[in-house]
């Protein structure tokens, strides 16, 4: 239900940022101008469209989740009255969410509010990105540790590790080569060449550090599987950033405008802006929602706090991310004696309610900044959202480099401060 509320607000934000929808409403809704004047939204409802309207709606949604974050702090079971509020009263929550989003339009001194809220949104958006990057690094370490544990009883796990590592490095190397072919030219495209060189060098660096003797002495589970996964993600972010970069137009020898540093076959993909915007927005919503829901599981919460399962409890499995063998063994034995209970929250909650709402609070800020094109907000609209923006380009490149730094930190930190907290 919280996810449905979240999707509903995202759809409203996308509509507010769409010039196409605004024009269609103006043409097909009878007495459109009279309605706009009646609700005091301007002659053409200009107060209900654009980046400022998205800021206000996301402010209401962010406050909604932040209030519930405070309300659900330290809930230990689902039988308390606060837990009932979290798990029920959906109609009243929908009314509350609508009231908070609507009430944001009546905040006095709108200019000061928008300027201050923009920086709050930027900080929250980067925190949301940081949580996803931390969980990616944690996932890489967990994957390698789980499959390495299987090699003690079955040597075929070595083959699985080698095969997956080879595939990931092949994808990363192939991706960088293809980007060098399609996003660079013999003359020009210096920025693309430099960024591809830097990110390719970072992939080599993390691979070398992961298998260096000093790191291996302190962290025997460190290997090329983790660095291969991070290299794939770096390659993906590099491609995503180059795809988000504004096109460069130059004059050729015949005096015609020609775009450079982009694939020739990719220029036709943006002809139908409405189709691209619709598909891109749908994918964006799905990715954000998936990130929110996977970030709020108990295992993710434990990982962010540095709590990992003991190595001796690891049971190797292909789908290790669906649960650890050490926790399931006792439950499976108890299930045989009685009816199976999937979620029993009488003694403790399956996930942290407060952390759940906090992640959605950060996601609200991330949506606000992403839909309004981060710091290019004044000229932003949903139809041109996927045609290129320097703000989005640098956000993705910064995410790429932060991911590399976080992974290097997990490798180097135990050398400076040997502690179980940093062991992987």
């Amino acid at each position: 239900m919280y996810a449905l509320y979240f999707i509903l607000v995202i759809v409203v934000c996308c509509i507010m940022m769409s010039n196409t929808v605004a024009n269609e409403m103006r043409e097909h809704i009878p007495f459109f101008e009279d309605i706009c004047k009646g609700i005091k939204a301007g002659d053409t409802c200009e107060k209900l469209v654009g980046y400022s309207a998205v800021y206000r709606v996301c402010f209401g949604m962010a406050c909604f989740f932040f209030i519930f974050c405070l309300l659900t702090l330290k809930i230990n079971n689902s039988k308390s009255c606060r837990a009932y509020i979290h798990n029920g009263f959906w109609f009243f929550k929908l009314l509350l969410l609508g009231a908070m989003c609507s009430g944001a339009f009546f905040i006095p001194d709108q200019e000061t509010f928008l300027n201050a809220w923009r920086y709050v949104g930027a900080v929250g958006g980067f925190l949301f990105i940081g949580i996803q990057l931390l969980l990616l690094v944690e996932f890489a370490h967990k994957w390698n540790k789980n499959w390495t544990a299987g090699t003690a009883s079955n040597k075929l796990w070595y083959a699985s590790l080698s095969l997956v590592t080879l595939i990931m490095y092949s994808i990363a190397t192939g991706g960088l080569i293809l980007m060098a072919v399609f996003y660079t030219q013999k003359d020009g495209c210096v920025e693309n060449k430099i960024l591809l060189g830097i990110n390719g060098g970072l992939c080599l660096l993390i691979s070398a550090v992961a298998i260096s003797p000093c790191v291996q002495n302190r962290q025997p589970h460190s290997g090329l599987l983790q660095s291969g996964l991070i290299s794939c993600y770096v390659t993906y972010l590099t491609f995503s950033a180059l795809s988000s970069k504004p096109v460069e137009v130059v004059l050729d020898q015949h005096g015609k405008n020609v775009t450079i540093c982009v694939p020739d076959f990719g220029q036709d993909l943006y002809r139908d802006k409405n189709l691209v915007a619709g598909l891109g927005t749908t994918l964006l919503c799905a990715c954000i929602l998936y990130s929110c829901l996977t970030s709020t599981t108990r295992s993710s919460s434990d990982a962010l706090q540095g709590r990992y399962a003991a190595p001796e409890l690891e049971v190797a499995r292909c789908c290790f991310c669906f649960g650890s063998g050490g926790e399931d063994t006792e439950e499976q034995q108890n299930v045989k004696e009685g009816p199976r209970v999937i979620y029993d929250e009488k003694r403790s909650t399956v996930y942290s309610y407060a952390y759940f709402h906090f992640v959605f609070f950060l996601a609200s800020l991330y949506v606000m900044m992403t839909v309004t094109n981060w710091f290019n907000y004044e000229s932003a609209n949903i139809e041109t959202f996927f045609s290129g923006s320097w703000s989005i380009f640098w956000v993705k490149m910064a995410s790429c480099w932060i991911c590399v730094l976080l992974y290097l930190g997990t490798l180097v930190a135990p050398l400076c401060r040997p502690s179980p907290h940093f062991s992987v």
Side-chain angles (χ1 to χ4, degrees):
M1 291 302 298
Y2 288 113
L4 289 176
Y5 292 165
F6 188 74
I7 292 174
L8 178 62
V9 176
I10 292 180
V11 171
V12 171
C13 291
C14 292
I15 291 174
M16 288 178 166
M17 291 298 295
S18 174
N19 291 333
T20 303
V21 174
N23 294 332
E24 290 293 325
M25 292 175 63
R26 190 179 299 112
E27 293 176 4
H28 295 91
I29 296 180
F31 310 107
F32 179 78
E33 294 184 359
D34 294 335
I35 295 174
C36 292
K37 293 178 181 178
I39 61 176
K40 298 181 179 180
D43 293 339
T44 58
C45 288
E46 62 269 13
K47 293 182 180 180
L48 299 180
V49 297
Y51 79 94
S52 60
V54 173
Y55 276 23
R56 296 182 183 103
V57 170
C58 288
F59 173 79
M61 180 168 66
C63 289
F64 174 82
F65 284 113
F66 187 71
I67 289 173
F68 275 92
C69 174
L70 298 178
L71 187 65
T72 55
L73 280 172
K74 295 185 177 180
I75 291 181
N76 298 321
N77 60 75
S78 61
K79 297 301 180 181
S80 64
C81 65
R82 291 188 297 151
Y84 281 119
I85 296 176
H86 169 80
N87 292 315
F89 304 100
W90 300 113
F91 177 72
F92 296 102
K93 287 177 184 175
L94 181 61
L95 292 180
L96 176 62
L97 177 61
M100 298 185 77
C101 293
S102 302
F105 286 86
F106 299 96
I107 296 176
D109 196 359
Q110 290 286 333
E111 185 176 354
T112 303
F113 161 73
L114 293 175
N115 290 331
W117 185 239
R118 183 176 304 118
Y119 291 105
V120 174
V123 173
F126 278 115
L127 282 176
F128 182 77
I129 294 174
I131 288 177
Q132 306 313 312
L133 296 179
L134 280 171
L135 292 177
L136 176 69
V137 173
E138 180 269 338
F139 173 81
H141 286 305
K142 183 178 179 181
W143 186 0
N144 185 77
K145 185 172 69 172
N146 184 271
W147 281 23
T148 303
T151 59
S153 57
N154 191 339
K155 301 304 179 184
L156 288 177
W157 286 106
Y158 280 119
S160 301
L161 284 167
S162 302
L163 178 62
V164 172
T165 302
L166 179 62
I167 291 174
M168 287 193 293
Y169 271 104
S170 299
I171 293 174
T173 305
L176 291 172
I177 292 174
L178 289 175
M179 282 185 282
V181 172
F182 292 110
Y183 284 93
T184 63
Q185 296 177 358
K186 185 177 181 180
D187 299 323
C189 305
V190 177
E191 292 178 352
N192 292 3
K193 294 175 182 177
I194 293 175
L195 291 172
L196 286 172
I198 291 174
N199 291 350
L202 289 175
C203 293
L204 290 175
L205 175 64
I206 60 178
S207 302
V209 173
I211 59 175
S212 61
C214 55
V215 172
Q216 288 291 313
N217 289 336
R218 293 295 179 90
Q219 302 187 69
H221 293 293
S222 175
L224 292 176
L225 179 67
Q226 301 103 305
S227 57
L229 179 61
I230 301 300
S231 297
C232 280
Y233 190 66
V234 167
T235 303
Y236 159 72
L237 282 180
T238 304
F239 167 73
S240 183
L242 293 179
S243 301
S244 303
K245 186 180 177 183
V247 295
E248 299 180 42
V249 180
V250 297
L251 294 175
D252 63 1
Q253 59 225 16
H254 303 293
K256 295 182 179 179
N257 290 330
V258 178
T259 57
I260 60 173
C261 306
V262 294
D264 294 333
F265 58 83
Q267 298 178 23
D268 296 331
L269 297 177
Y270 295 98
R271 287 182 177 175
D272 190 346
K273 292 183 178 180
N274 292 334
L275 177 61
V276 172
L279 294 175
T281 304
T282 302
L283 182 61
L284 175 67
C285 294
C287 291
I288 295 174
L289 193 60
Y290 175 80
S291 299
C292 290
L293 297 178
T294 54
S295 300
T296 54
T297 61
R298 176 180 288 177
S299 59
S300 299
S301 179
D302 290 345
L304 291 174
Q305 299 177 50
R307 298 198 298 261
Y308 299 94
E312 60 272 11
L313 297 179
E314 286 287 341
V315 177
R317 60 180 71 185
C318 293
C319 299
F320 67 93
C321 52
F322 289 106
S324 79
E327 293 177 355
D328 293 343
T329 304
E330 184 179 352
E331 292 181 2
Q332 291 172 353
Q333 292 175 354
N334 293 335
V335 161
K336 297 178 181 179
E337 301 176 0
R340 183 172 184 177
V341 178
I342 304 298
Y343 295 124
D344 183 5
E345 295 188 321
K346 291 181 179 179
R347 295 182 179 178
S348 63
T349 57
V350 174
Y351 60 96
S352 171
Y353 294 169
Y355 176 64
F356 173 88
H357 290 292
F358 181 71
V359 169
F360 270 94
F361 163 73
L362 295 181
S364 302
L365 301 179
Y366 177 76
V367 167
M368 180 185 78
M369 299 304 295
T370 303
V371 172
T372 57
N373 231 347
W374 287 84
F375 295 103
N376 289 344
Y377 50 88
E378 292 183 347
S379 59
N381 62 76
I382 203 68
E383 284 81 8
T384 61
F385 178 74
F386 298 94
S387 61
S389 165
W390 283 113
S391 293
I392 295 178
F393 170 79
W394 285 114
V395 166
K396 291 179 178 179
M397 291 307 302
S399 301
C400 173
W401 297 331
I402 291 172
C403 181
V404 172
L405 290 175
L406 288 174
Y407 177 64
L408 285 175
T410 62
L411 299 178
V412 176
L415 304 179
C416 305
R417 180 187 172 189
S419 167
H421 176 79
F422 292 102
S423 96
V424 294

